[in-house]
Amino acid sequence: MTRVLFFGRPADALGAETTLEIPPSGLTVAEVRATLAARSPEHAAALCAPDIRAAVNVRTVADDAHVPADAEVAFFSPFSGG
Amino acid sequence: MAVTARLEPDALDPAAELARFQRGRTADGAIVSFTGLVRAEGGGVEALVLDAYPALTERSLDDIGQAVAAAAAAPDAGPITDVLIVHRTGTIPAGDPVVFVAVAAPHRRAAFLAADQLMDRLKTEAALWKSELTPSGPRRIEPTRRDHADRARWSD
C-alpha cells in the first residue's frame, strides 16, 4: 500500500492521509490523482483544483512524474509561510 | 557562508536566537533580524496553525536561505556571512512569534536587503500550510496578491 499525505485544502477536506494500492509498475501523478478523485465528489473537488500540486518521495513534481509502487505521495495547496 | 534553517515545534525565543546568532562574531559589522508575530486582528484571530511536511519544509527553508545569501540584492551591497531562519509549526497564539530570521554581514546594506528578501520569499516559498483559528472556526490562509507582488520585487 502506498501512503498518500494531504496538506492545506486537501487535508481540510480529506484528512491528513490515506492509502492507495499502486501496481508494481507504478503510475503517473496524474493517474494517482485521478484514482483518488474517483473515490468521491469531495475527493475530486479537493484534488483536481489547478493549484493542487504533488510531491513524490518528498520532492515536488509535475503531473507526468512517475510514482513507484513504494513511494510516499503528497498532494497540497499553495504554500503559505512567514 | 552558512544557512541555518530549522522548524521549531514549541516556543520560539527570538531574543535567545539573536543572542546565540551574535555570539563570537568579529568579522561582521552588521546583524539584521526580523520577528514575525501572530496578529490578533482585534480578537478575530485566536491563533495560527502551521502544518509542515518536515523534510520538504526544512528543505524549502534552506533553499530560501541559500537563494537569498547568493543573490546580488544590490550592486554594491556586499556579501552575506550567515543566515538564520527559525519557523514555528503547530498552534501559535496571537501575540506569539511565528518566524525569526537573522542575517550577519560585514556591512549593513546587504544585511537589511537580505532580511527583507527572506521574508518576502518565506511568504510564498516556505512549504507550510497556514490556518487562522477564529471565534467562528478555522480559516485556511493562502498568499495574497500583495505577497506575490512582494516576492516579485526580487529578481532571481
Side-chain angles (χ1 to χ4, degrees):
Chain A
M1 292 297 260
T2 298
R3 195 169 172 226
V4 180
L5 305 178
F6 300 122
F7 296 94
R9 296 196 326 260
D12 294 342
L14 307 175
E17 63 178 278
T18 188
T19 55
L20 180 67
E21 198 77 66
I22 289 186
S25 53
L27 292 172
T28 64
V29 166
E31 287 168 336
V32 172
R33 190 193 294 257
T35 305
L36 292 169
R39 288 183 176 182
S40 75
E42 289 71 32
H43 280 78
L47 296 174
C48 296
D51 61 353
I52 305 301
R53 292 185 299 157
V56 175
N57 291 331
V58 206
R59 292 212 167 264
T60 304
V61 294
D63 249 37
D64 59 357
H66 180 68
V67 183
D70 59 350
E72 178 174 284
V73 184
F75 290 94
F76 47 90
S77 51
F79 300 154
S80 186
Chain B
M1 193 287 298
V3 172
T4 303
R6 71 173 211 274
L7 298 177
E8 178 52 69
D10 297 314
L12 164 55
D13 183 345
E17 297 289 344
L18 182 58
R20 183 163 47 234
F21 189 71
Q22 181 180 326
R23 203 151 40 228
R25 291 193 186 277
T26 54
D28 294 315
I31 294 174
V32 173
S33 73
F34 172 85
T35 301
L37 304 174
V38 179
R39 282 195 313 278
E41 308 282 6
V45 175
E46 295 164 344
L48 279 189
V49 179
L50 279 165
D51 199 15
Y53 188 11
L56 190 80
T57 307
E58 283 174 348
R59 190 176 339 110
S60 74
L61 298 184
D62 190 75
D63 287 348
I64 291 165
Q66 298 286 348
V68 169
D76 305 319
I80 299 291
T81 304
D82 287 309
V83 169
L84 173 66
I85 301 169
V86 186
H87 208 301
R88 273 294 311 270
T89 59
T91 300
I92 308 140
D96 276 19
V98 55
V99 63
F100 177 80
V101 303
V103 181
H107 303 286
R108 70 183 183 281
R109 184 65 57 239
F112 275 115
L113 289 169
D116 196 6
Q117 188 179 165
L118 283 170
M119 287 312 305
D120 283 348
R121 282 190 181 251
L122 282 169
K123 287 290 183 182
T124 58
E125 297 175 9
L128 289 156
W129 296 272
K130 185 186 292 181
S131 295
E132 290 175 342
L133 295 185
T134 76
S136 48
R139 175 168 62 222
R140 175 65 56 194
I141 300 296
E142 290 181 354
T144 61
R145 197 164 298 139
R146 177 62 190 267
D147 290 325
H148 290 294
D150 286 343
R151 171 62 186 90
R153 295 166 61 206
W154 309 94
S155 55
D156 284 337

